[in-house]
Amino acid sequence: MSFDEKNAWVYAVVAIGGYAGYLAVILGRAQGVPLTTVAYVMPMILAISAATAASIVGHIVIAAAWPKEAGRTDQRDKEIHRLGEYIGGIVLGIGVVVPLGLAMAEVDYFWIANAIYLAFVLSALCGTTVKLVTYRRGF
């Protein structure tokens, strides 16, 4: 398993874990009250910050555990990374249409913010999934 593939695994786990943690907090606070009344801003900021920090720490841990592989990428790694980022970008481009529509419909900020966050998470997961599948099965 290459260094970039290990990082892709870390990124996928962090994206899923961060969003799952955020959902657990929000749904836990919504016991018997409408979701739009739940305080979501601070949990969302903390989830995004924690996921970013965890991704950086995961990258550092992988680099420390396999120092000879750190920073070494070949042409295959570059092309896999490019393909994953391309697919993730397409998903993000499509995903931002939903919050745009919600904003135009003047829906509550809760739904707009959550739609944007979900678009970023889906983009990260789709891009990372493409990378991991490509690493395992090839182009």
Side-chain angles (χ1 to χ4, degrees):
M1 186 182 302
S2 75
F3 183 74
D4 288 344
E5 185 177 358
K6 291 171 189 150
N7 278 320
W9 276 108
V10 168
Y11 193 62
V13 169
V14 166
I16 292 170
Y19 192 69
Y22 169 74
L23 285 180
V25 170
I26 294 302
L27 295 176
R29 289 182 175 182
Q31 300 295 328
V33 298
L35 277 173
T36 55
T37 61
V38 173
Y40 69 93
V41 174
M42 189 52 69
M44 186 179 286
I45 290 171
L46 290 175
I48 293 169
S49 300
T52 302
S55 181
I56 292 169
V57 169
H59 181 78
I60 291 170
V61 168
I62 290 172
W66 291 278
K68 292 182 180 178
E69 297 178 16
R72 293 181 58 199
T73 59
D74 58 13
Q75 187 62 31
R76 180 175 180 259
D77 291 328
K78 291 177 183 174
E79 290 183 18
I80 289 172
H81 179 77
R82 185 187 57 79
L83 177 64
E85 294 300 315
Y86 178 74
I87 299 298
I90 289 172
V91 171
L92 182 60
I94 294 169
V96 297
V97 171
V98 173
L100 180 64
L102 292 173
M104 290 178 176
E106 299 180 2
V107 175
D108 192 272
Y109 291 140
F110 174 86
W111 296 113
I112 296 169
N114 279 281
I116 292 170
Y117 186 30
L118 180 60
F120 277 114
V121 171
L122 290 177
S123 168
L125 289 178
C126 287
T128 304
T129 301
V130 167
K131 290 176 189 176
L132 293 173
V133 168
T134 307
Y135 271 115
R136 292 295 160 184
R137 296 190 178 178
F139 286 99

